[in-house]
Amino acid sequence: MKTKAKEILIKTRRRLFGPNIGNNISTFQGNGLDFAELKEYTYGEDVRKINWKVTARQQKPYVNVFNEERELNIVAGFCVSGSIWFGSVRQKQEVMAEILALLGFAALKNSDRFSSLFFDEGLVRRFKPSKSPNTVYAALEEALGLEVLGRKGDVNAFADWLLHAVRERSIVLLIGDFLESVDLSLLAARHELYAIVVRDRFEESPELWGEYDLLDPVSGRHHRLDLDEGTLAAWRRELAEHDRRFTEHCLKHRVGTTKIYTDEDPFLKLRELLK
C-alpha cells in the first residue's frame, strides 16, 4: 500500500474508532420499516418522518420513530473527471479519496454493507457490497491511483446507471466537484441521496491577471487566455449561479448536500451532513 493511502487510513480510522466517541461521524440512520413510537420533533431531525395527523391534532410537530429491521446498504459513488486533478492546498482527488474512506469506515462501524463505484462516462470500477475493511482499503487505493487527466465525468449518466443497477433501497452518496448541470430527481426518489461537493477555493475565486497558457484537464487542450478582473468576475458570477441552481435542485428533491474545500477537514463537514 502506498504512503498516501496509509496516511489516510490511519487518519480516518483514528477519527472513527478512537476513544472520543462524541467526535465520531453519526451512524447512518436510513428509513426503518418497523414503527416503534411517536416523539416530539426536535430541530435537525428528518422532516420526512413527521406524522402530520398527530402534528395537526397536537398543534406541535411529532415524528415517527422506527426500529431498523435490516442492515443498511451504503453506496459511495466516486465521480471521475479530469477536473478533480486540481488543488491549491490538496488535490480534489485526494480529498475525495479521504471522504470515501471516512464513509466506508463509518458504514463498517455501524455494521452496514458498504460498496463503492467509480464512474466517468461509464463504469470504471465497482467494489461489491461488503462488511470487510478490505473493501475500503481497495477502494481508497483505487481512488488515489486513478489517472484522471483526460477523463470526462458525466454525473447524469452515473445517476441513471445507479438507478438501474442498485435495486435495493440504499443510502447513496455521490462525491465529486459537480461543475456540470445535473438532474438527481429520479435517483433521489428511489434512494436516500447525498451529494458531497469537493472544491478548491482558488477555482471558485481565482486571482490571475495577465496572459496565461492554461491546460484543460478534461480535453487536454491548451488555451491562451488574457485574464483581467472583468473576465474573472464573470467566471465567479457564472459559477455562483450554477451552484445556486444546484442547491435549489437538491432542496427540491430532498438531496442532502455539503461542500468541502481542499483546505478543510472532511470529517467535520461529513459529521454535520450525517447527523
Side-chain angles (χ1 to χ4, degrees):
M1 184 177 291
K2 294 182 180 180
T3 303
K4 182 56 65 176
K6 288 181 179 179
E7 289 177 2
I8 292 177
L9 282 174
I10 292 170
K11 181 180 178 182
T12 54
R13 286 181 67 89
R14 184 176 297 158
R15 299 301 290 272
L16 284 161
F17 296 92
N20 193 348
I21 301 301
N23 284 333
N24 289 333
I25 294 176
S26 301
T27 53
F28 297 104
Q29 296 300 317
N31 293 311
L33 302 177
D34 179 23
F35 176 77
E37 61 178 340
L38 285 166
K39 77 178 188 71
E40 193 170 338
Y41 174 85
T42 56
Y43 176 77
E45 290 188 284
D46 189 347
V47 296
R48 291 175 292 185
K49 296 179 181 178
I50 292 178
N51 187 312
W52 294 107
K53 289 184 179 180
V54 176
T55 295
R57 189 164 58 245
Q58 298 296 327
Q59 293 299 298
K60 53 184 177 181
Y62 277 80
V63 294
N64 296 319
V65 178
F66 297 94
N67 294 319
E68 292 292 345
E69 289 190 322
R70 53 181 169 75
E71 63 195 13
L72 299 174
N73 189 41
I74 311 300
V75 180
F78 193 100
C79 302
V80 180
S81 171
S83 60
I84 67 175
W85 196 75
F86 180 82
S88 59
V89 180
R90 288 202 291 165
Q91 280 198 344
K92 290 188 285 183
Q93 182 177 358
E94 181 185 325
V95 176
M96 289 169 60
E98 183 174 337
I99 292 168
L100 184 69
L102 283 165
L103 295 174
F105 284 127
L108 299 186
K109 183 179 180 182
N110 201 40
S111 297
D112 294 321
R113 290 173 296 165
F114 177 74
S115 61
S116 56
L117 304 109
F118 297 79
F119 198 99
D120 48 20
E121 295 179 281
L123 185 65
V124 175
R125 184 78 184 272
R126 182 179 190 177
F127 293 93
K128 294 182 178 181
S130 173
K131 291 185 178 182
S132 169
N134 291 333
T135 192
V136 182
Y137 303 156
L140 176 60
E141 288 195 310
E142 179 74 13
L144 290 171
L146 271 173
E147 294 291 339
V148 299
L149 278 177
R151 293 178 182 263
K152 181 181 179 182
D154 191 335
V155 178
N156 290 314
F158 196 3
D160 184 64
W161 188 90
L162 287 166
L163 188 65
H164 294 89
V166 183
R167 301 288 184 179
E168 179 185 354
R169 179 169 172 81
S170 305
I171 296 177
V172 178
L173 305 106
L174 296 179
I175 314 164
D177 54 17
F178 292 91
L179 290 172
E180 71 272 32
S181 297
V182 298
D183 183 355
L184 302 175
S185 56
L186 293 178
L187 189 62
R190 176 172 293 183
H191 302 288
E192 185 173 337
L193 181 61
Y194 297 86
I196 301 170
V197 182
V198 178
R199 295 275 181 83
D200 189 273
R201 296 187 193 276
F202 188 85
E203 70 183 329
E204 291 192 349
S205 186
E207 295 184 6
L208 293 171
W209 294 274
E211 193 171 295
Y212 289 89
D213 182 18
L214 301 179
L215 172 68
D216 185 332
V218 176
S219 67
R221 296 174 182 172
H222 288 263
H223 300 274
R224 195 84 178 173
L225 297 177
D226 189 4
L227 301 176
D228 55 27
E229 182 53 39
T231 304
L232 296 176
W235 161 252
R236 289 191 291 267
R237 287 194 302 270
E238 182 179 340
L239 186 56
E241 175 61 20
H242 166 83
D243 286 351
R244 184 192 64 78
R245 292 194 300 268
F246 176 76
T247 300
E248 286 185 353
H249 177 74
C250 289
L251 287 172
K252 179 179 179 181
H253 297 287
R254 295 180 176 178
V255 178
T257 184
T258 189
K259 182 185 287 187
I260 301 174
Y261 289 101
T262 57
D263 63 350
E264 292 184 315
D265 184 350
F267 176 85
L268 300 177
K269 287 291 187 73
L270 291 177
R271 186 175 61 180
E272 290 300 313
L273 177 66
L274 300 175
K275 271 187 176 179

